[in-house]
């Protein structure tokens, strides 16, 4: 609560300064590279930077503001450049490689070996083995990606925060639980709409509304706003950004020796490669579609029984899924009486 917006950039700058000093101490160490004076020292560098980042980025994700977004625009490219300078530092990588070459003979514990392997891999995957021309190109790509992905997130946040469904007639709250209505009334107060009810595109708000609201036209309205965020050909439209990000990621992957960005990312995941991902998805696809169609049939049957004269659409799914769940699985008192001593 004592941290103000103007504190962040000086704190980030000091954190980067301290880490650079620690890196220089590692690089300039005249002793032979060891796990302690290279890997462990590297792992412990940047403590202040990590602490500042943990506070700042948690806040920007949870309760962002115009001032925090402005700071993000300034600090994100700085952090990207800072990371690139460390991970593509030839002298530092030489010391890491020297320790890595002795990993089987240096008596390291299992945990130390894991840290050594992850450190070495992170350098390689960050471009440490590239020539100087490739490193320069990769830095340019990383800088552009940093700016574009930040802009993408800001556009999404702006569209998310820029919409509210304002309900003035209490009859339009039909089906909503009392707690949901109370939360919507509180949100209305916060948005200078006192005496009304406000629902937003935040997941806790929209999906609760979609699940319980009996007003189909309102479900459609808020659902379509959610589904078309950043796709309105305006200042916050993300289509061109997506195209640029895809191409920059492809270029980055290919410089690092991977055919696609998916291949680059998945190497560090359990699936290891795109082929394994598609094999799994294709195995799931047929039974998943069959299950979804069965669920949809149950929902349509219930809707028809209630007199609905329409084919279910996306904005109906949560509402009728909840109705089917209650019909099939909710246990009332009479059903429980034989199994429990109910007074």
């Amino acid at each position: 609560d004592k941290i103000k917006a103007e504190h962040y950039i000086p704190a980030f700058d000091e954190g980067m300064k301290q880490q650079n000093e620690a890196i220089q101490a590692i690089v300039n160490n005249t002793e032979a590279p060891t796990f302690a004076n290279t890997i462990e020292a590297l792992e412990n560098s940047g403590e202040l930077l990590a602490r500042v980042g943990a506070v700042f980025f948690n806040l920007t994700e949870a309760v962002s503001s115009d001032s925090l977004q402005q700071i993000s625009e300034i600090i994100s490219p700085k952090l990207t450049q800072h990371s690139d300078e460390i991970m593509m530092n030839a002298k530092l990588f030489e010391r890491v490689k020297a320790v890595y070459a002795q990993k089987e003979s240096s008596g390291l514990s299992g945990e130390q070996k894991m840290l050594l392997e992850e450190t070495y891999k992170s350098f390689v995957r960050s471009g440490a083995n590239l020539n100087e021309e490739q490193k320069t190109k990769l830095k340019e790509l990383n800088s552009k990606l940093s700016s574009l992905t930040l802009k993408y997130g800001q556009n999404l946040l702006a569209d998310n925060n820029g919409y509210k469904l304002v309900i003035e007639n209490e009859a339009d709250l039909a089906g909503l639980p009392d707690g949901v209505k109370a939360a919507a009334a509180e949100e209305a107060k916060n948005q200078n709409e006192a005496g009304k009810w406000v629902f937003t595109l935040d997941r806790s708000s929209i999906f609760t509304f979609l699940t319980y609201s009996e007003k189909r036209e309102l479900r459609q309205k808020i659902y379509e706003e959610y589904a078309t965020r950043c796709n309105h050909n305006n200042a916050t439209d993300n289509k061109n950004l997506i195209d640029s990000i895809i191409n920059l990621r492809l270029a980055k992957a290919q410089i690092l020796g991977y055919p696609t960005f998916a291949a680059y990312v998945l190497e560090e995941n359990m699936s290891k490669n795109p082929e394994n991902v598609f094999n799994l998805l294709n195995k799931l696809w047929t039974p998943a579609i069959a299950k979804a169609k069965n669920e949809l049939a149950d929902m349509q049957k219930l809707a028809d029984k209630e007199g609905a004269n329409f084919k279910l659409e996306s904005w109906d799914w949560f509402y009728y899924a909840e109705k089917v769940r209650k019909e099939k699985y909710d246990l009332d008192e009479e059903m429980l009486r034989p199994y429990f001593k109910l007074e």
Side-chain angles (χ1 to χ4, degrees):
D1 63 327
K2 295 181 176 64
I3 301 174
K4 297 180 180 178
E6 60 264 28
H7 295 156
Y8 284 110
I9 290 179
F12 272 119
D13 287 341
E14 178 63 23
M16 288 185 279
K17 176 175 173 288
Q18 288 187 16
Q19 186 169 30
N20 283 334
E21 290 171 351
I23 297 300
Q24 283 303 114
I26 297 170
V27 169
N28 295 331
N29 192 336
T30 57
E31 297 178 3
T34 65
F35 181 87
N37 70 22
T38 301
I39 306 302
E40 192 173 334
L42 177 60
E43 179 72 6
N44 291 330
S45 71
E47 182 181 351
L48 173 61
L49 185 59
R51 190 162 70 248
V52 175
V55 175
F56 178 76
F57 290 111
N58 270 294
L59 285 176
T60 57
E61 290 291 327
V63 286
S64 190
S65 64
D66 290 343
S67 60
L68 291 181
Q69 289 189 47
Q70 289 169 3
I71 294 168
S72 293
E73 291 175 7
I74 295 170
I75 208 64
S76 290
K78 281 188 174 185
L79 291 174
T80 299
Q81 182 181 9
H82 174 73
S83 176
D84 281 347
E85 292 299 331
I86 292 174
M87 303 309 289
M88 297 186 214
N89 184 317
K91 291 183 179 179
L92 179 60
F93 185 50
E94 284 301 315
R95 292 186 67 90
V96 171
K97 279 199 298 186
V99 180
Y100 185 75
Q102 304 170 38
K103 65 176 181 176
E104 300 301 335
S105 59
S106 51
L108 299 178
S109 68
E111 291 84 354
Q112 289 173 324
K113 279 186 178 180
M114 175 64 77
L115 177 58
L116 174 57
E117 288 172 1
E118 290 302 314
T119 301
Y120 177 79
K121 278 197 300 182
S122 67
F123 271 85
V124 173
R125 286 172 53 80
S126 297
N129 275 328
L130 301 178
N131 60 42
E132 290 305 313
E133 182 180 349
Q134 291 172 319
K135 285 181 180 179
T136 299
K137 180 62 177 177
L138 181 57
K139 289 176 183 178
E140 291 175 1
L141 292 171
N142 285 339
S143 178
K144 291 177 182 177
L145 278 169
S146 174
S147 297
L148 292 182
T149 52
L150 176 64
K151 180 62 175 173
Y152 177 96
Q154 289 179 340
N155 285 349
L156 187 59
L157 181 63
D159 263 24
N160 211 71
N161 293 342
Y163 175 82
K164 59 185 178 183
L165 175 64
V166 181
I167 293 178
E168 301 183 20
N169 186 349
E170 190 169 3
D172 287 335
L173 300 174
L176 297 172
D178 290 341
V180 174
K181 290 189 280 190
E186 186 63 30
E187 182 66 28
K189 288 181 184 178
N190 295 338
Q191 298 208 23
N192 299 317
E193 298 280 2
K196 303 174 186 177
W197 297 265
V198 167
F199 293 89
T200 69
L201 298 184
D202 291 339
R203 293 181 66 85
S204 59
S205 182
I206 181 176
F207 288 110
T208 304
F209 188 86
L210 290 171
T211 300
Y212 296 107
S213 174
E214 295 177 5
K215 297 297 181 177
R216 188 173 189 245
E217 67 280 6
L218 295 180
R219 295 201 308 268
Q220 178 180 357
K221 186 175 181 180
I222 196 170
Y223 177 87
E224 288 181 339
E225 285 292 337
Y226 182 82
T228 59
R229 290 172 300 167
C230 300
N231 188 23
H232 299 289
N233 299 317
N234 57 7
T236 57
D237 193 285
N238 271 341
K239 292 191 289 295
N240 289 334
L241 281 179
I242 291 171
D243 187 59
S244 297
I245 289 170
I246 288 172
N247 284 294
L248 288 168
R249 285 177 169 179
L250 176 60
K252 174 177 178 173
Q254 291 178 342
I255 280 182
L256 291 168
Y258 299 86
T260 65
F261 190 72
Y264 168 70
V265 171
L266 292 171
E267 182 183 59
E268 290 295 279
N269 294 345
M270 186 182 295
S271 55
K272 297 302 179 186
N273 58 62
E275 291 73 25
N276 289 338
V277 172
F278 282 114
N279 286 338
L280 175 61
L281 291 178
N282 288 333
K283 288 178 182 177
L284 292 173
W285 182 251
T286 299
I289 285 294
K291 181 65 175 175
K293 286 181 177 179
N294 287 337
E295 291 179 356
L296 179 59
D298 286 344
M299 290 187 274
Q300 187 70 60
K301 183 178 179 180
L302 178 59
D304 293 343
K305 186 173 71 173
E306 292 182 345
N309 187 27
F310 53 79
K311 180 181 177 183
L312 296 186
E313 299 287 352
S314 301
W315 48 86
D316 298 313
W317 184 280
F318 297 95
Y319 179 70
Y320 283 100
E322 176 65 11
K323 278 180 165 285
V324 169
R325 184 195 67 77
K326 284 185 176 180
E327 184 179 77
K328 282 190 171 185
Y329 305 114
D330 269 16
L331 301 178
D332 61 24
E333 183 176 311
E334 290 304 314
M335 294 175 67
L336 293 172
R337 191 173 296 279
Y339 305 97
F340 299 95
K341 294 180 179 179
L342 297 176
E343 298 298 331

